[in-house]
Amino acid sequence: MSRMHVVPILDKVRESHHTTTYRFRADFGGQAGQFVMVWIPRFDELPMALSYLGPVKGITVHAYGDATKALASFNLGDRIGVRGPYGNTFRLQGETVLAVAGGTGVASLIAAIEGFAQQGARVTTALGAKTAEELLFADRAGASGEVHIATDDGTRGFRGFVPALAEKLLEKHRFDQVITCGPERMLRGVVDMALKRGIKVQASLERYMKCGIGICDACAFDDKLVCLDGPVFDGEVLAASEDFGKFRRDKSGRRIPI
Amino acid sequence: MSRMHVVPILDKVRESHHTTTYRFRADFGGQAGQFVMVWIPRFDELPMALSYLGPVKGITVHAYGDATKALASFNLGDRIGVRGPYGNTFRLQGETVLAVAGGTGVASLIAAIEGFAQQGARVTTALGAKTAEELLFADRAGASGEVHIATDDGTRGFRGFVPALAEKLLEKHRFDQVITCGPERMLRGVVDMALKRGIKVQASLERYMKCGIGICDACAFDDKLVCLDGPVFDGEVLAASEDFGKFRRDKSGRRIPI
Amino acid sequence: MVDLRTEVAGIRLRNPTMLASGILDETGGSLLRVFEAGAGAVVTKSIGPEPREGYPNPTIVEIEGGLLNAVGLPNPGIEDFGDEVKKALAGQAVVIGSVYAKDAAEFAQVAARMADFGVAAVELNLSCPHAKGLGTEIAQSEEAVAEITRAVKDAVDVPVFPKLSPNVASIAPFAVAAEKAGADGIVAINTVKAMAISPELAMPILANKFGGLSGPAIKPIGVRAVYDIYEAVDIPVIGVGGVSTGRDALEYLMAGATAVQIGTAIATHGIGVFAAVTKEVASVLGEIGLPSVKDAVGAAHE
Amino acid sequence: MVDLRTEVAGIRLRNPTMLASGILDETGGSLLRVFEAGAGAVVTKSIGPEPREGYPNPTIVEIEGGLLNAVGLPNPGIEDFGDEVKKALAGQAVVIGSVYAKDAAEFAQVAARMADFGVAAVELNLSCPHAKGLGTEIAQSEEAVAEITRAVKDAVDVPVFPKLSPNVASIAPFAVAAEKAGADGIVAINTVKAMAISPELAMPILANKFGGLSGPAIKPIGVRAVYDIYEAVDIPVIGVGGVSTGRDALEYLMAGATAVQIGTAIATHGIGVFAAVTKEVASVLGEIGLPSVKDAVGAAHE
Ligand SMILES: Cc1cc2nc3c(=O)[nH]c(=O)nc-3n(C[C@H](O)[C@H](O)[C@H](O)COP(=O)(O)OP(=O)(O)OC[C@H]3O[C@@H](n4cnc5c(N)ncnc54)[C@H](O)[C@@H]3O)c2cc1C
Ligand SMILES: Cc1cc2nc3c(=O)[nH]c(=O)nc-3n(C[C@H](O)[C@H](O)[C@H](O)COP(=O)(O)OP(=O)(O)OC[C@H]3O[C@@H](n4cnc5c(N)ncnc54)[C@H](O)[C@@H]3O)c2cc1C
Ligand SMILES: Cc1cc2nc3c(=O)[nH]c(=O)nc-3n(C[C@H](O)[C@H](O)[C@H](O)COP(=O)(O)O)c2cc1C
Ligand SMILES: Cc1cc2nc3c(=O)[nH]c(=O)nc-3n(C[C@H](O)[C@H](O)[C@H](O)COP(=O)(O)O)c2cc1C
Ligand code: FES
Ligand code: FES
């Protein structure tokens, strides 16, 4: 069991107007692709990817709804709860890797990008955001390999969605592994284009979670659990899925179209 | 915490008309001087010295009251509960050791006798019983050193009590360590004669016990606990004791003269 | 070979383990997966008349010896749940449908719909703190337990298993009340009222403040409840609370349970726990010379 | 420097830890030893009118998450116990005398003798299953709790602390009944009804079959009880159940306890647990910027 660690925020870095990285010290492990459940006291407890591993861990959070907006007002020294690490990890197998990240999805990918680079793989990152100001971790990705940028509004790099950029890269270069995280429809596109070319692909999914430890069934996905069997799934599994990109579960457990 | 191990009796050896050794397998440790709490189902749970250490442990029990008599009717394969090991151990420090054992007291000493011998000390055992038939572990003690025997009725060896025999041995030979176990009045005598000669002495006490783990206070002895701080006490501690050889606690906790 | 089969109110089980209500049982996929992993039967999440989101997070706290939860009965509502049950039944799972409601009439309605889906039995979750009966929790009023049991018995043809709360002075009278009202079996126990506080934040961790304790911590409480109930009633008892090994299961069986349910242990042992428990039950029974699970039931009574 | 002192009904404690009744407290030597090891106060074994041998062994089972016990109130009887209390008091220990009896009149007698010995307060063990009041365990009848509290209050001049059982549907009303009857503080909780069975022997391990669960397993149950009681009464609450670390103690303090008692943790941590708990309480309070134990009391309430 992983008990709740209530820890002060040691560092807070504004990454864009709506996204912030929070750093904290926690004496549990954590590998590329894993997440923690983050308790924002008085608001909610939410799954967040570990965007920094090691003893001073980090999460990178889009202030989206009530709880994540409340978190944005937390100051250094204020305490949050974290428990984990949970979920499976990216398998770091491959020599030439394409990472395709949309929005805060890069928070789930960045540790894998760095992990691949550290073990000598050539990593190319296709990084997408709505607009230039919202691009995350371009520097960290750049320190691990080549970075190509896409923005919806064309304020930086390729104008358009990141899957389109990824497709261009796949056409031009040889890759033996694709990793991706972002909105589920985007993942669908990336998984399809990789499988079509016979390239291995791993995608990290985000689903509504309650327990994070494989008991509440809130994150059910086909007959799998995103918190336990995922969040990283192989492209083949996703391609065969009835739910991927089509259905999600709401808080009551109802299966509804995405 | 040491959970109750319910184990079949693997071996049963009649040592005398009233004393039997029971062997059983239990995957907990156990050192010279330590005891286990033995659950005799439907009867009682009692403290018993480990007369055999190692994976196939043993206890050597005098069929004295209801529970120990009931145990005598247990057959091979019948199950008893054991938990432990509890208590402190004999410190195996000394080159020339005199072990003074009265009655079933040798069950508490025999592992220490063997332990001393194994590490190269010269061990002399003064072994006492009411009568020759009741002598226990003379062979095992003999395999570890010299054995001198005392019987109250003179059916074997010295006629008289074992402390008197011990005194003779102390007069004749040099010892740097005495260990002893038996009735508390006997212990009193042995402790006194050793201390008088400036020889270190360790005595193992037997007091009424309930928990065996230092919480119920049943085995209170001065401000110590026989189950936790003992059962092995240094002679100096015993010599300074208000209770040693004088007072015991009954099952209700009343302090009564021995 | 030890005979592992057991039978609860006519429902035949290949082994005495069941999935407990509320754990990996809100979707057909998970129900089936747990059954295929070795559970003798699977009990669904407690389903109510309408969809319910449950409490906000944190809803679960991992603590020493188990879990504290206040999920607050999230469920898709009985209408949407038919598809999930059907999916599990299509895979040959033995499914017991757990239901909750606010009063006897509503219990009867929801249970009747659940029975329509083809479940082998219905389990009544009487520990719902939202559903007030007679001014207190339903589970704390013998009359409410009896009334609800009777209403559901009248509404369905499958066996009915009221599930009792341990948060009472004495549990056996509740089992007796349920038996008199026609219950076909008793499930015991639900979680124990509890709370966890974060010292650093000086506040309860659960958003709901209070929650229910489950896991190894409550095993001795559940075993005692089952022992007491077994002495008081003639219908079968299904034991639940802190089972994570075959020896735990045997404590319940010997206390009088005909089958055991497993919930929290899935968090620590994964869904392989059903096969592992069954295996250890067989091995201990073999060792002590009992030929079948049925021989173990109630063996700890004189 | 965090101020560790606390005060319960006028009794000043150097720190908020106390020895719980029934653990290493049947003899003056042990009481004193525990006090000297760092307890703020020591509560005696529950003493009755006559000597009692208690139940036969096994009386204690070591289980996952704590202990199960059915010692059956062995005690030397109130007359012989004076010497033990005197020995502890002579060593400057702060001693609270726990008593049990079969009815209100006998409680008053035993408590009066205990007070004569010079204890700082008397604690009433109402969870005695032998002492039947109004047809049930005393601890399960609000009237019995009130009646006994009142009788003892009339008989002694020191503060009176009834100790409540968790084996009830709702504990707060019992605290309210005790407060109305004049109690100066509430102690909660006693052990939780439980049982352990040996699968190999197919029988309960305790000679008494049933016992009480203590230790980490019951901590969340005790914290919740204290939280509820704190909201219901104005007298101080003393929390007990599963405390073995400073963070455990803080859960109780923040739930509303003015002090905590420690029993079972002695089996796992030794009597050094009192100093260790106190040290961790100070360090966590320092870390979160609370200047004193008193500031922590009840901090988890809004
Ligand atoms: C494995 C995993 C890793 C994630 N990593 C990150 C990350 O690194 N950075 C980041 O910004 N976001 C991440 N998320 C998503 C993040 O958890 C949600 O966006 C966040 O919970 C929204 O909370 P809110 O209060 O702002 O929004 P709300 O207003 O509460 O909800 C907005 C939407 O967020 C989603 N959501 C709400 N609660 C949860 C929940 N308990 N679990 C999952 N989704 C929820 C729902 O889709 C909801 O419609 C991750 C999610 C998962 C499952
Ligand atoms: C640390 C220790 C090690 C021991 N080792 C051995 C041993 O190796 N072999 C052996 O034969 N005996 C040993 N004993 C003594 C043994 O425990 C008692 O003699 C035995 O419990 C008597 O039980 P009974 O049912 O036969 O007698 P009962 O009729 O119950 O009592 C007879 C006497 O035995 C003593 N006794 C009873 N119950 C207990 C108890 N729970 N704890 C301690 N004493 C008790 C009392 O003095 C009592 O008056 C040891 C005792 C202790 C404390
Ligand atoms: C997360 C969680 C959710 C639960 N939900 C329900 C429920 O919906 N209905 C119900 O009757 N019991 C529910 N329970 C109680 C369990 O079915 C079971 O009675 C309890 O957890 C004890 O068993 P365990 O220790 O094996 O988990 C839930 C328990 C947990 C931990
Ligand atoms: C061996 C043992 C004996 C006990 N005896 C008593 C007792 O005599 N009187 C009493 O009020 N409580 C008694 N208790 C209960 C404790 O005082 C305490 O309420 C309970 O053990 C929970 O605290 P803990 O988890 O710190 O042990 C006893 C507990 C144990 C384990
Ligand atoms: S979040 Fe609970 S099972 Fe995945
Ligand atoms: S036997 Fe219980 S304290 Fe020693």
Side-chain angles (χ1 to χ4, degrees):
Chain A
M1 298 262 172
S2 8
R3 71 172 179 85
M4 175 80 78
H5 291 63
V6 174
V7 292
I9 295 171
L10 295 184
D11 195 14
K12 192 178 163 187
V13 178
R14 188 139 198 167
E15 310 281 0
S16 82
H17 76 278
H18 61 41
T19 297
T20 306
T21 292
Y22 306 85
R23 305 288 300 267
F24 52 88
R25 193 177 291 276
D27 62 359
F28 49 71
Q31 293 178 52
Q34 288 193 297
F35 66 96
V36 287
M37 293 297 293
V38 179
W39 177 27
I40 305 165
R42 292 178 215 284
F43 292 93
D44 208 339
E45 190 190 31
L46 304 165
M48 290 288 159
L50 283 171
S51 59
Y52 288 88
L53 309 179
V56 180
K57 297 178 170 44
I59 52 172
T60 300
V61 183
H62 182 161
Y64 183 85
D66 289 354
T68 48
K69 280 183 187 147
L71 179 61
S73 70
F74 276 45
N75 297 313
L76 293 195
D78 286 351
R79 287 179 158 79
I80 56 173
V82 283
R83 58 187 175 93
Y86 298 125
N88 67 354
T89 64
F90 281 106
R91 266 176 292 104
L92 302 186
Q93 283 165 5
E95 303 297 314
T96 50
V97 181
L98 176 63
V100 187
T104 49
V106 67
S108 299
L109 288 184
I110 190 69
I113 290 169
E114 292 174 346
F116 269 118
Q118 264 161 40
Q119 60 182 49
R122 188 162 57 76
V123 190
T124 306
T125 302
L127 193 65
K130 287 216 178 82
T131 182
E133 198 267 342
E134 294 179 15
L135 287 162
L136 300 176
F137 295 143
D139 293 356
R140 283 178 72 191
S144 290
E146 229 174 274
V147 179
H148 298 261
I149 281 169
T151 51
D152 300 1
D153 63 2
T155 42
R156 190 162 155 206
F158 174 84
R159 172 196 287 265
F161 296 137
V162 71
L165 171 62
E167 183 127 48
K168 280 173 182 271
L169 292 166
L170 285 170
E171 272 159 21
K172 257 196 271 176
H173 307 284
R174 262 189 169 282
F175 292 99
D176 57 13
Q177 182 71 245
V178 173
I179 59 174
T180 184
C181 185
E184 210 161 299
R185 254 171 320 176
M186 174 201 127
L187 299 186
R188 173 103 248 172
V190 176
V191 165
D192 287 348
M193 70 180 72
L195 291 183
K196 206 173 59 193
R197 289 176 174 78
I199 305 172
K200 293 229 164 294
V201 51
Q202 302 173 62
S204 178
L205 263 56
E206 296 188 357
R207 289 289 178 124
Y208 179 70
M209 289 184 181
K210 274 178 173 288
C211 73
I213 55 173
I215 61 160
C216 75
D217 221 10
C219 67
F221 172 82
D222 298 329
D223 62 345
K224 297 180 188 64
L225 300 170
V226 175
C227 70
L228 197 75
D229 304 304
V232 182
F233 290 95
D234 281 335
E236 289 80 2
V237 170
L238 296 176
S241 162
E242 286 175 18
D243 284 356
F244 181 54
K246 298 194 201 97
F247 291 94
R248 64 182 189 89
R249 299 270 174 182
D250 69 7
K251 292 185 180 182
S252 77
R254 269 181 306 186
R255 186 163 177 256
I256 50 182
I258 287 186
Chain B
M1 297 263 172
S2 8
R3 70 171 180 84
M4 175 80 80
H5 291 63
V6 174
V7 292
I9 295 171
L10 295 184
D11 195 13
K12 192 178 163 187
V13 178
R14 189 137 196 169
E15 309 282 2
S16 82
H17 75 278
H18 62 41
T19 297
T20 307
T21 293
Y22 307 85
R23 307 286 301 267
F24 53 87
R25 193 177 291 275
D27 62 358
F28 49 70
Q31 293 178 53
Q34 289 194 295
F35 67 96
V36 288
M37 293 297 293
V38 179
W39 176 28
I40 304 165
R42 291 178 214 283
F43 291 92
D44 208 341
E45 191 191 29
L46 303 165
M48 289 289 159
L50 283 170
S51 60
Y52 288 90
L53 310 179
V56 179
K57 298 180 167 45
I59 52 172
T60 300
V61 183
H62 182 161
Y64 183 84
D66 289 353
T68 48
K69 279 183 186 147
L71 179 61
S73 70
F74 276 47
N75 297 312
L76 293 195
D78 286 351
R79 287 182 158 76
I80 55 173
V82 283
R83 58 185 175 95
Y86 297 125
N88 66 356
T89 64
F90 282 105
R91 266 175 292 103
L92 302 186
Q93 283 166 6
E95 304 295 317
T96 48
V97 181
L98 177 64
V100 187
T104 49
V106 67
S108 299
L109 290 183
I110 190 70
I113 291 169
E114 293 175 343
F116 269 118
Q118 264 160 40
Q119 60 182 46
R122 188 162 56 77
V123 190
T124 307
T125 302
L127 194 63
K130 288 217 178 79
T131 180
E133 197 266 343
E134 295 180 14
L135 286 162
L136 300 176
F137 295 143
D139 293 357
R140 283 177 73 190
S144 291
E146 230 175 272
V147 178
H148 297 261
I149 282 171
T151 50
D152 300 0
D153 63 2
T155 41
R156 188 159 156 208
F158 173 85
R159 173 195 288 262
F161 297 137
V162 71
L165 172 62
E167 185 125 46
K168 285 174 176 271
L169 291 166
L170 285 170
E171 272 159 20
K172 257 196 272 179
H173 306 284
R174 263 189 169 282
F175 292 100
D176 57 12
Q177 181 73 246
V178 173
I179 60 174
T180 184
C181 185
E184 210 160 301
R185 255 172 318 176
M186 173 201 129
L187 299 187
R188 172 104 249 171
V190 176
V191 165
D192 286 348
M193 70 180 71
L195 291 183
K196 206 173 59 193
R197 290 174 173 77
I199 305 173
K200 292 228 162 297
V201 51
Q202 302 173 61
S204 178
L205 262 57
E206 297 190 357
R207 288 291 178 124
Y208 179 70
M209 290 184 181
K210 274 178 172 286
C211 74
I213 55 172
I215 61 159
C216 76
D217 222 8
C219 66
F221 172 82
D222 298 328
D223 63 345
K224 298 183 188 61
L225 300 171
V226 175
C227 69
L228 198 74
D229 305 305
V232 182
F233 290 95
D234 282 335
E236 290 81 3
V237 170
L238 296 175
S241 164
E242 287 175 16
D243 285 355
F244 181 53
K246 298 196 201 97
F247 291 94
R248 63 182 190 90
R249 299 269 174 184
D250 70 6
K251 291 186 181 184
S252 76
R254 270 182 305 187
R255 186 164 177 254
I256 49 183
I258 286 185
Chain C
M1 273 303 296
V2 171
D3 185 352
L4 286 163
R5 288 170 304 173
T6 185
E7 197 179 310
V8 187
I11 306 167
R12 297 210 183 121
L13 305 178
R14 57 186 172 178
N15 70 54
T17 67
M18 293 182 181
L19 173 66
S21 179
I23 295 96
L24 287 195
D25 51 6
E26 211 184 16
T27 67
S30 292
L31 285 163
L32 191 52
R33 187 180 180 185
V34 171
F35 184 77
E36 285 170 352
V42 288
V43 183
T44 70
K45 175 80 197 160
S46 294
I47 306 295
E50 302 293 335
R52 222 185 106 87
E53 293 199 346
Y55 298 134
N57 272 356
T59 45
I60 294 203
V61 191
E62 299 175 65
I63 55 171
E64 194 175 339
L67 291 177
L68 194 62
N69 93 80
V71 289
L73 290 173
N75 79 94
I78 190 70
E79 287 317 321
D80 271 41
F81 199 65
D83 285 349
E84 311 294 344
V85 174
K86 272 166 206 151
K87 185 165 178 191
L89 290 175
Q92 313 303 325
V94 178
V95 180
I96 295 173
S98 173
V99 297
Y100 77 87
K102 69 170 191 307
D103 56 29
E106 201 181 75
F107 255 105
Q109 278 164 30
V110 180
R113 284 296 288 141
M114 184 64 92
D116 288 346
F117 300 152
V119 296
V122 291
E123 186 176 294
L124 311 180
N125 178 359
L126 303 171
S127 304
C128 170
H130 328 293
K132 307 281 174 189
L134 307 171
T136 164
E137 268 188 42
I138 290 174
Q140 292 172 358
S141 152
E142 289 168 39
E143 297 73 39
V145 167
E147 188 193 333
I148 291 165
T149 304
R150 216 173 289 116
V152 173
K153 275 300 286 181
D154 288 346
V156 305
D157 290 327
V158 294
V160 175
F161 303 146
K163 179 171 177 183
L164 300 182
S165 163
N167 303 304
V168 295
S170 181
I171 200 168
F174 288 83
V176 171
E179 180 180 39
K180 284 198 186 130
D184 301 284
I186 301 288
V187 182
I189 57 175
N190 214 309
T191 54
V192 180
K193 290 201 285 187
M195 177 182 245
I197 287 172
S198 162
E200 288 85 357
L201 287 165
M203 59 166 84
I205 299 179
L206 293 171
N208 187 51
K209 291 184 188 162
F210 304 108
L213 184 62
S214 61
I218 68 168
K219 187 191 67 179
I221 303 172
V223 170
R224 172 159 185 175
V226 167
Y227 191 96
D228 283 348
I229 294 169
Y230 182 81
E231 303 234 307
V233 301
D234 292 320
I235 50 178
V237 188
I238 300 170
V240 51
V243 174
S244 64
T245 68
R247 299 168 55 89
D248 295 336
L250 281 168
E251 286 198 59
Y252 274 101
L253 294 170
M254 289 174 169
T258 303
V260 296
Q261 296 180 351
I262 300 176
T264 300
I266 291 175
T268 42
H269 296 59
I271 58 174
V273 69
F274 296 93
V277 164
T278 300
K279 195 175 158 197
E280 195 180 66
V281 165
S283 111
V284 175
L285 288 180
E287 207 179 287
I288 63 176
L290 280 186
S292 76
V293 160
K294 284 178 187 166
D295 290 298
V297 176
H301 295 259
E302 303 285 75
Chain D
M1 274 304 294
V2 171
D3 185 352
L4 286 164
R5 289 170 302 173
T6 185
E7 197 180 310
V8 187
I11 305 167
R12 296 211 184 122
L13 305 177
R14 56 187 173 177
N15 70 54
T17 68
M18 293 182 179
L19 173 66
S21 179
I23 295 97
L24 287 196
D25 50 6
E26 211 183 16
T27 66
S30 291
L31 285 163
L32 191 53
R33 186 179 183 187
V34 172
F35 185 77
E36 286 169 352
V42 287
V43 183
T44 70
K45 175 79 197 160
S46 294
I47 305 298
E50 301 293 336
R52 221 185 108 86
E53 293 199 346
Y55 298 134
N57 273 356
T59 46
I60 296 208
V61 190
E62 300 175 68
I63 55 170
E64 195 176 338
L67 290 177
L68 195 60
N69 93 80
V71 288
L73 289 171
N75 78 94
I78 191 71
E79 287 318 321
D80 273 40
F81 199 63
D83 285 348
E84 311 293 347
V85 174
K86 272 166 208 151
K87 184 162 180 193
L89 290 176
Q92 312 302 324
V94 178
V95 180
I96 296 173
S98 173
V99 297
Y100 77 88
K102 71 172 190 306
D103 57 29
E106 200 180 75
F107 255 105
Q109 278 163 32
V110 181
R113 284 298 287 141
M114 184 62 93
D116 288 346
F117 300 151
V119 296
V122 291
E123 186 176 293
L124 311 180
N125 179 0
L126 302 171
S127 304
C128 170
H130 329 293
K132 307 281 175 186
L134 307 172
T136 165
E137 267 187 44
I138 291 174
Q140 293 174 359
S141 152
E142 289 168 40
E143 298 72 41
V145 167
E147 188 193 334
I148 291 166
T149 304
R150 215 174 289 115
V152 174
K153 275 300 287 180
D154 288 346
V156 304
D157 290 328
V158 293
V160 175
F161 302 146
K163 178 171 177 184
L164 301 182
S165 162
N167 302 306
V168 295
S170 182
I171 200 168
F174 288 83
V176 170
E179 181 181 38
K180 285 199 186 128
D184 301 284
I186 302 289
V187 182
I189 56 175
N190 215 309
T191 55
V192 180
K193 290 202 285 188
M195 175 181 246
I197 287 173
S198 162
E200 288 85 357
L201 286 165
M203 62 166 80
I205 299 178
L206 293 172
N208 185 51
K209 291 183 189 163
F210 304 108
L213 183 62
S214 61
I218 68 168
K219 188 191 67 177
I221 303 173
V223 169
R224 172 162 183 171
V226 168
Y227 191 95
D228 283 349
I229 294 169
Y230 182 80
E231 302 233 310
V233 301
D234 292 321
I235 50 178
V237 187
I238 300 170
V240 50
V243 174
S244 64
T245 67
R247 299 167 55 87
D248 295 337
L250 281 168
E251 285 199 60
Y252 274 101
L253 294 170
M254 289 174 169
T258 303
V260 296
Q261 296 180 351
I262 300 176
T264 300
I266 291 175
T268 42
H269 295 61
I271 58 173
V273 68
F274 296 94
V277 164
T278 301
K279 195 173 158 200
E280 194 180 66
V281 165
S283 111
V284 175
L285 289 181
E287 207 178 287
I288 63 175
L290 279 186
S292 76
V293 160
K294 285 178 186 166
D295 290 299
V297 175
H301 295 259
E302 304 283 77

